[in-house]
């Protein structure tokens, strides 16, 4: 009971710290966006996709007023494609099948609740960033302590490419799923590891590569539980194998969806 309370306290601290980091960076980026837009010359949302891809269906665009300042400025590049898939699904004759399904599925659910697919994408990225950074904190803290873990998530967020963790792209959901899979495997929760690895495979193509570290962790568990009669060894080997296979299954499911999509 004492260990469980201590563990919950550590998780609470990690989530709170990650949340503050994400909020501060998010506010800073929003203020920067307001100044940039006020300076003029900022193109409207999805301008590149609308000009080049010949879309016949267009997702809802936050193009005017405060909605553009707070949300529309984030509708760029892949964010437009994910909003399109979330709104219209995988349409025949487009390149939409190259975009993995989990993020647009979450955006579609969020849009039904919030009334805006763009805001839904930003909310998903916000929540996934906090979760992903908190799990990274706990994962690093296990090996090198909480001080290094705290600096790790801060540097991860403020590094230039950390900008994408707050955009309606796949970086934040993938970080959350991948880190959860690794943490669950490290702590022997192979069911959670398998589910998280499967979800990572539904977010980005590199999700399949989680099979490598999960296989390593499964091998460590196998060697630790090797017994003369093989009972615990066989059981643990089966659990670890399930986590490894899940990453590949999540990735392969996109191929099945693409095959089922007409004209893809």
């Amino acid at each position: 009971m004492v260990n469980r309370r201590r563990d919950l306290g550590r998780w609470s601290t990690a989530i709170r710290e990650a949340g503050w980091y994400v909020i501060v960076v998010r506010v800073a980026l929003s203020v920067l966006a307001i100044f940039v837009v006020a300076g003029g010359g900022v193109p409207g949302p999805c301008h590149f996709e609308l000009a080049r891809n010949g879309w016949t269906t267009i997702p809802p665009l936050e193009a005017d007023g405060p909605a553009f300042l707070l949300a529309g400025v984030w509708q760029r590049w892949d964010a437009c494609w994910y909003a399109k898939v979330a709104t219209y699904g995988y349409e025949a004759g487009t390149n939409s099948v190259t975009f993995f399904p989990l993020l647009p599925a979450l955006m579609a659910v969020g849009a039904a609740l919030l009334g805006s697919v763009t805001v839904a994408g930003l909310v998903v990225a916000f929540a996934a960033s906090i979760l992903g950074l908190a799990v990274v904190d706990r994962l690093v803290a296990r090996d090198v302590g909480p001080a290094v873990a705290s600096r790790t998530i801060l540097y991860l967020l403020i590094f230039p490419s950390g900008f994408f963790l707050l955009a309606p792209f796949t970086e934040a959901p993938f970080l959350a799923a991948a880190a959860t899979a690794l943490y669950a495997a490290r702590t022997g929760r192979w069911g959670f590891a398998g589910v998280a690895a499967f979800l990572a495979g539904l977010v980005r193509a590199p999700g399949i590569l989680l099979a490598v570290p999960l296989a390593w962790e499964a091998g460590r568990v196998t060697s630790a539980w090797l017994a003369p009669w093989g009972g615990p060894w066989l059981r643990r080997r089966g659990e670890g194998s399930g986590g490894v296979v899940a990453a590949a299954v999540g990735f392969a499911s996109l191929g099945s969806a693409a095959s089922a999509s007409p004209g893809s």
Side-chain angles (χ1 to χ4, degrees):
M1 181 64 71
V2 174
N3 290 336
R4 184 174 182 180
R5 288 179 179 176
R6 184 184 299 117
D7 195 46
L8 288 175
R10 290 169 177 169
W11 272 107
S12 177
T13 300
I15 293 173
R16 185 168 57 251
E17 186 173 45
W20 276 114
Y21 287 161
V22 171
I23 290 172
V24 169
V25 173
R26 175 72 207 187
V27 169
L29 289 175
S30 296
V31 172
L32 177 62
I34 291 174
F35 277 103
V36 171
V37 172
V42 177
C46 300
H47 68 289
F48 181 82
E49 287 70 27
L50 295 176
R52 179 175 179 178
N53 293 315
W55 282 356
T56 58
T57 55
I58 301 173
L61 302 179
E62 310 292 346
D64 301 305
F68 177 67
L69 291 175
L70 298 176
V73 292
W74 295 89
Q75 288 185 292
R76 312 287 171 184
W77 304 99
D78 288 1
C80 300
W81 277 103
Y82 286 115
K84 182 176 173 67
V85 174
T87 304
Y88 299 106
Y90 289 99
E91 299 173 289
T94 69
N95 294 325
S96 58
V97 293
T98 61
F99 296 89
F100 281 54
L102 183 57
L103 176 57
L106 294 174
M107 291 172 65
V109 173
L113 299 174
L114 302 173
S116 168
V117 69
T118 304
V119 173
L122 292 172
V123 169
V124 169
F126 181 82
S129 294
I130 294 175
L131 174 60
L133 291 172
V135 177
V136 170
D137 181 287
R138 296 303 306 130
L139 187 62
V140 175
R142 285 178 59 87
D143 292 335
V144 291
V148 175
S150 179
R151 292 197 300 271
T152 298
I153 64 172
L154 175 62
Y155 297 158
L156 177 61
L157 186 60
I158 66 175
F159 193 75
S161 60
F163 165 87
F164 294 102
L165 290 174
L166 296 177
F169 292 178
T170 55
E171 277 74 4
F174 182 76
L175 174 65
T180 299
L182 296 176
Y183 182 84
R186 181 68 65 85
T187 55
R189 298 175 174 89
W190 286 102
F192 284 108
V195 171
F198 175 76
L199 294 177
L202 292 177
V203 176
R204 292 174 65 93
I208 195 173
L209 298 178
L210 281 172
V212 176
L214 292 181
W216 174 267
E217 290 294 336
R220 292 196 324 120
V221 170
T222 296
S223 62
W225 281 79
L226 186 61
W229 298 103
W233 172 64
L234 290 174
R235 182 175 64 254
R236 292 286 172 167
R237 182 177 63 178
E239 293 173 357
S241 299
V244 173
V245 170
V249 171
F251 175 83
S253 64
L254 177 70
S256 300
S259 299
S261 178
S264 62

